[in-house]
Amino acid sequence: MPELPEVETVRRGLAPVMEGRRILTAEVRRPDLRWPLPEGMGARLAGARVLRLGRRSKYLLADLDTGETWLVHLGMSGRMLVSGRVLGDFVQDHPAASAHDHVVLEMEGGARITFNDPRRFGAMDLIPTPEVEGHKLLAGLGPEPLGNGFSEDYLVARLKGRRTPMKAALLDQGVVAGLGNIYVCEALYRAGLSPVRRAHRVAARRLAALVPAIRAVLTDAIAAGGSSLRDYRQADGELGYFQHTFDVYGREGAPCRREGCGGTVRRIVQSGRSSFYCPACQT
């Protein structure tokens, strides 16, 4: 499942060909993805100008001059791919049509944006822009981990008294938005915190140190174009490569990379998900 860095990378790839440009045509090739698509979505998108392309957690949000916002969730295998003449003389040939191309936008300026989703776990909606924050998929989300609302004081207060393991506490989207399995594992490693330690047993100073660790791992992942494990691609079709620098994720049995540690990365299962950590230096 794409996490915050992958979605932010896609947003940055789409912004130059979407922001300020009109959607000339919008072809919707099926009535549903994970859930039914909005009624008349193609007609409501066609002719609209994209005022701003944003992101909230793992959702893309395109504010339109029609007063609506187009919400897109990539799901497990969804891709937003750009082709055509997009920047100056650069041309990315249109890919061959696929049975899994479910929504195709022709943009002012010559770009084509194709939403391809073989597993159809993605989702889309059209929302009146003033009502976006109250949408059922967004209303309960915590602060953005790269935003000002996510601070040391906030995290200490939010996790005070919580008896869930640290891994589960950080995966709670009501605590912090956009974090998933991969980056929680990596952030806990950088902060030296065990994923199995109960949140209420972690000292405030150690929780405070987790905030810059989370920000750093997300910033590094965005700079690397995200992590490509199976289906993820950037908007230009390229793979992300942060997976080549994982400290613990997917490295079961490998030596810990922390200088002087000497431990071995271990894999356990928590709530049905794999957790990777070094028992020697994550306590």
Side-chain angles (χ1 to χ4, degrees), residues 82-193:
V82 177
S83 59
R85 185 175 297 274
V86 292
L87 292 174
D89 292 328
F90 173 76
V91 177
Q92 178 83 13
D93 290 339
H94 295 315
S98 164
H100 304 301
D101 293 345
H102 304 310
V103 178
V104 179
L105 307 182
E106 299 290 349
M107 301 296 302
E108 181 182 39
R112 174 183 295 170
I113 298 171
T114 302
F115 179 80
N116 177 284
D117 187 4
R119 302 185 192 182
R120 299 203 305 273
F121 281 128
M124 295 182 181
D125 203 356
L126 279 167
I127 315 154
T129 299
E131 301 175 14
V132 167
E133 290 184 5
H135 188 271
K136 61 183 179 181
L137 295 175
L138 307 177
L141 294 174
E144 290 287 318
L146 296 176
N148 293 333
F150 184 65
S151 66
E152 289 85 348
D153 289 343
Y154 165 82
L155 189 63
V156 169
R158 195 70 173 80
L159 296 186
K160 184 178 181 180
R162 288 192 62 139
R163 297 181 177 272
T164 57
M166 281 300 304
K167 172 82 176 294
L170 294 179
L171 286 177
D172 183 346
Q173 298 298 293
V175 172
V176 54
L179 293 184
N181 198 37
I182 293 173
Y183 299 110
V184 168
C185 287
E186 293 294 305
L188 286 172
Y189 173 78
R190 293 194 186 193
L193 284 169

Side-chain angles (χ1 to χ4, degrees), residues 30-42:
R30 60 175 304 108
D32 58 4
L33 292 170
R34 187 173 184 181
W35 301 298
L37 294 173
E39 185 175 354
M41 187 177 81

Side-chain angles (χ1 to χ4, degrees), residues 173-220:
Q173 298 298 293
V175 172
V176 54
L179 293 184
N181 198 37
I182 293 173
Y183 299 110
V184 168
C185 287
E186 293 294 305
L188 286 172
Y189 173 78
R190 293 194 186 193
L193 284 169
S194 170
V196 301
R197 179 174 286 275
R198 301 285 172 174
H200 75 289
R201 293 186 176 274
V202 179
R205 61 177 177 79
R206 299 191 72 197
L207 286 178
L210 182 57
V211 171
I214 290 172
R215 287 182 170 150
V217 75
L218 294 177
T219 299
D220 290 348

Side-chain angles (χ1 to χ4, degrees), residues 189-264:
Y189 173 78
R190 293 194 186 193
L193 284 169
S194 170
V196 301
R197 179 174 286 275
R198 301 285 172 174
H200 75 289
R201 293 186 176 274
V202 179
R205 61 177 177 79
R206 299 191 72 197
L207 286 178
L210 182 57
V211 171
I214 290 172
R215 287 182 170 150
V217 75
L218 294 177
T219 299
D220 290 348
I222 292 169
S227 301
S228 294
L229 299 183
R230 293 186 63 179
D231 300 299
Y232 168 70
R233 297 289 189 279
Q234 300 181 56
D236 61 1
E238 294 296 315
L239 299 172
Y241 55 89
F242 187 69
Q243 68 274 12
H244 299 304
T245 63
F246 286 164
D247 285 315
V248 287
Y249 192 86
R251 298 187 65 242
E252 180 182 11
C256 177
R257 288 177 170 165
R258 201 183 307 275
E259 185 176 355
C261 174
T264 300

